[in-house]
Amino acid sequence: MAIELSLEKNVTGFRLDVEWSAETGLVALFGFSGSGKTMTLRQIAGLERPDRGYVRLDGDTLFDSDAGVDVKTGRRQLGYVFQNQSLFPHMTIRRNIAFGLTTGDRHTRADRLRQIISLFRLEGLERAMPAEISGGQQQRVALARALIGRPRMLLLDEPLSALDLPDRLRMREIIKEAQAQFSIPVILVTHSFREVEELADMVFIYSGGRVAQAGPPAAIRDNPAGPEVCELLGPGGNEAALNKAGRKAAGDATFP
Amino acid sequence: MNALSLFSLRLSLQVALAATALVVPAGIGLAYLLARRSFRGRDLLDIILTLPLVMPPTVTGYYLVIVLGRNGPLGGLIYSHTGWSIMFTWEAAVLASSVVAMPLMVKTARAAFESVERNLIETSETLGHSGAATFFHVTLPLARRGLFAGATLSFARALGEFGATLMLAGNIPGKTSTAPLAIYTYASSGDWPRANSLVLLFTAISALFLYVAVKLNARII
């Protein structure tokens, strides 16, 4: 098992209660906003603390409420990319990326920086400030910065949603390449099932703080578990499955 | 311009600089605490730090005299151990100016810290940086304009301090009489030529300070 977790958290008007595990590969958390996807990601990273539960990565415990384990965010060795505005506006692109490197001597750091800049095709932008480059380039920089320190896992919080279509397509390719290159587990939060189908090996469908269904994207597309999941897949979803589920629910497939 | 007037001007600048040097680091620390940490008594600390902004400076000065006077709880302790009292010294003027300038630094710095995107601080944490490294490399540089504004306001407030200084340091010519106090003395004794020249010089110094502040601010962007 690459990652195993169980998370319980009560906040005003919302309860997160999920328990799942996944092998290496790209795992997508899919659902409407407010369903607990980002909260899950933040709790994996240690940016938020669950009321109860555990997070284990390759058998190492990052958090366990019963055992009193809570590894600090900075020591979890996870790469995290936020939806937007995550580059340090006062640092050049080069410094932004280098800020992800906290170990190694000057020589190895410089080598590593050169490698990652070329891997993410950011040559020529090193001296630019974040405000001077496009949204797509900014997310590439954020990804490079998250990966330069060789994290054990990569967490992506809707990294494509603020991008326009061409940037989004290019970024999808880059995420695939990065995953192949680094071969670490990736967890992607998204509200686009198209992205899920394009990128993910495994998807957890979130709804109201629970996992409504889990499995490979194609299997879920072919056989959604009930009207709730159908509605989440949207108008592009499988018509037959939608009809089947729609009959079962007799029109009460509402979602907040 | 006589020697006492020049002394009062020099003293004013000296007091304002010393007060700013005290208020800026302390204010940054307190503002960061108020902006980023939640702890018991946070609201109370906020109120205590803001009070000198609301109260007349004479009231603030009165409290300082009560606490730091030779018979006060803190002043008495210091006096019994060292034989020294802060009352009627230039250090008293620095302390009085610092207390009244502190709210301006804390309020401005707190707003500056609160305006730094949480994402950026969390990103720094996920990249493996400690709280201190994040503070010095991310939070502080991103809040720098607000911090500079706070320092400017504090210096300005300290330069013009009158009420609390009068209470704690007194108005001793050649010792604790800062320019605002000296101007008051000249005016109340009808010595208009001296009052006029000191007022004009003080105005010129204030204008020069504002000019430098604007120039520096433009370079900070």
Side-chain angles (χ1 to χ4, degrees):
Chain A
M1 280 301 147
I3 176 152
E4 303 165 81
L5 59 81
S6 161
L7 305 168
E8 274 177 51
K9 173 98 175 170
N10 282 298
V11 288
T12 335
F14 181 78
R15 177 175 165 76
L16 179 74
D17 185 359
V18 294
E19 182 168 2
W20 53 258
S21 59
E23 299 285 351
T24 313
L26 197 143
V27 176
L29 309 184
F30 170 77
F32 286 138
S33 39
S35 60
K37 316 179 297 281
T38 294
M39 195 184 253
T40 300
L41 210 61
R42 292 176 60 82
Q43 293 186 359
I44 294 172
L47 296 171
E48 241 174 67
R49 175 201 279 262
D51 296 336
R52 267 184 61 81
Y54 58 82
V55 177
R56 284 193 272 275
L57 181 59
D58 293 325
D60 290 343
T61 302
L62 300 180
F63 178 85
D64 191 327
S65 55
D66 290 342
V69 178
D70 186 4
V71 178
K72 273 191 159 186
T73 297
R75 299 196 181 281
R76 293 193 183 194
Q77 292 177 276
L78 309 174
Y80 199 111
V81 177
F82 288 86
Q83 183 172 346
N84 52 18
Q85 289 176 325
S86 61
L87 294 189
F88 303 115
H90 59 300
M91 298 182 191
T92 61
I93 298 309
R94 186 186 164 84
R95 254 199 88 200
N96 257 285
I97 300 172
F99 201 65
L101 263 185
T102 49
T103 53
D105 60 50
R106 246 181 79 182
H107 199 69
T108 45
R109 279 168 180 239
D111 276 354
R112 183 92 186 109
L113 193 58
R114 214 172 304 122
Q115 274 172 24
I116 209 105
I117 283 174
S118 99
L119 181 67
F120 285 89
R121 285 166 236 139
L122 293 165
E123 296 99 337
L125 297 178
E126 292 100 322
R127 283 159 190 272
M129 299 306 279
E132 296 165 352
I133 64 177
S134 75
Q137 288 169 333
Q138 287 182 18
Q139 286 304 65
R140 251 151 65 199
V141 174
L143 200 57
R145 184 182 59 189
L147 287 167
I148 193 170
R150 298 189 187 281
R152 303 176 63 187
M153 180 162 67
L154 182 62
L155 307 173
L156 305 173
D157 188 4
E158 306 205 25
L160 311 180
S161 64
L163 304 181
D164 54 21
L165 192 61
D167 273 343
R168 211 180 304 158
L169 298 176
R170 205 170 307 136
M171 191 68 183
R172 277 190 205 163
E173 292 307 314
I174 287 169
I175 290 175
K176 273 195 242 175
E177 279 173 37
Q179 204 214 346
Q181 186 95 16
F182 288 83
S183 57
I184 51 171
V186 178
I187 301 182
L188 169 76
V189 163
T190 177
H191 56 247
S192 150
F193 202 72
R194 197 169 259 249
E195 241 168 72
V196 172
E197 290 187 301
E198 175 84 14
L199 293 170
D201 304 302
M202 172 82 178
V203 58
F204 293 93
I205 311 272
Y206 271 58
S207 175
R210 306 168 296 107
V211 173
Q213 196 178 357
I220 289 179
R221 165 76 74 197
D222 293 342
N223 204 357
E228 208 178 11
V229 176
C230 271
E231 178 153 358
L232 273 164
L233 298 190
N238 185 313
E239 291 260 336
L242 196 66
N243 288 338
K244 195 170 76 187
R247 269 201 310 281
K248 221 176 355 184
D252 63 354
T254 53
F255 194 87
Chain B
M1 179 71 40
N2 68 356
L4 282 179
S5 292
L6 280 176
F7 176 87
S8 72
L9 266 179
R10 215 195 66 207
L11 182 64
S12 275
L13 288 170
Q14 186 183 331
V15 165
L17 277 173
T20 309
L22 282 178
V23 161
V24 169
I28 285 176
L30 289 164
Y32 186 77
L33 213 61
L34 290 170
R36 292 283 178 217
R37 302 263 183 276
S38 56
F39 53 91
R40 270 180 62 140
R42 185 168 75 163
D43 289 344
L44 185 67
L45 180 65
D46 190 20
I47 288 171
I48 290 172
L49 286 171
T50 311
L51 266 177
L53 194 64
V54 184
M55 294 190 305
T58 42
V59 174
T60 305
Y62 191 87
Y63 278 116
L64 289 174
V65 170
I66 298 275
V67 174
L68 292 165
R70 272 189 206 177
N71 300 318
L74 194 59
L77 199 71
I78 294 170
Y79 186 68
S80 68
H81 278 84
T82 63
W84 180 79
S85 172
I86 194 168
M87 297 283 296
F88 309 116
T89 63
W90 81 275
E91 289 94 337
V94 173
L95 189 71
S97 298
S98 301
V99 171
V100 294
M102 187 65 88
L104 294 168
M105 185 67 210
V106 173
K107 291 275 159 197
T108 322
R110 181 179 180 173
F113 285 139
E114 280 171 348
S115 72
V116 175
E117 289 277 345
R118 208 159 182 104
N119 267 1
L120 298 176
I121 291 162
E122 290 180 342
T123 297
S124 176
E125 284 173 25
T126 64
L127 294 174
H129 291 283
S130 66
T134 300
F135 178 75
F136 286 110
H137 293 296
V138 180
T139 312
L140 207 56
L142 288 175
R144 67 195 184 283
R145 294 203 70 186
L147 300 180
F148 179 74
T152 311
L153 283 172
S154 301
F155 182 81
R157 180 68 187 81
L159 194 62
E161 222 306 295
F162 184 91
T165 307
L166 184 61
M167 298 294 281
L168 195 66
N171 184 8
I172 307 168
K175 193 173 178 208
T176 63
S177 181
T178 58
L181 292 166
I183 289 166
Y184 173 75
T185 309
Y186 291 143
S188 57
S189 63
D191 190 348
W192 300 113
R194 284 193 175 145
N196 284 341
S197 58
L198 198 48
V199 160
L200 285 175
L201 205 53
F202 199 81
T203 308
I205 288 173
S206 304
L208 180 69
F209 162 69
L210 280 178
Y211 177 77
V212 172
V214 168
K215 284 290 168 201
L216 280 177
N217 192 44
R219 283 185 57 179
I220 285 179
I221 301 170

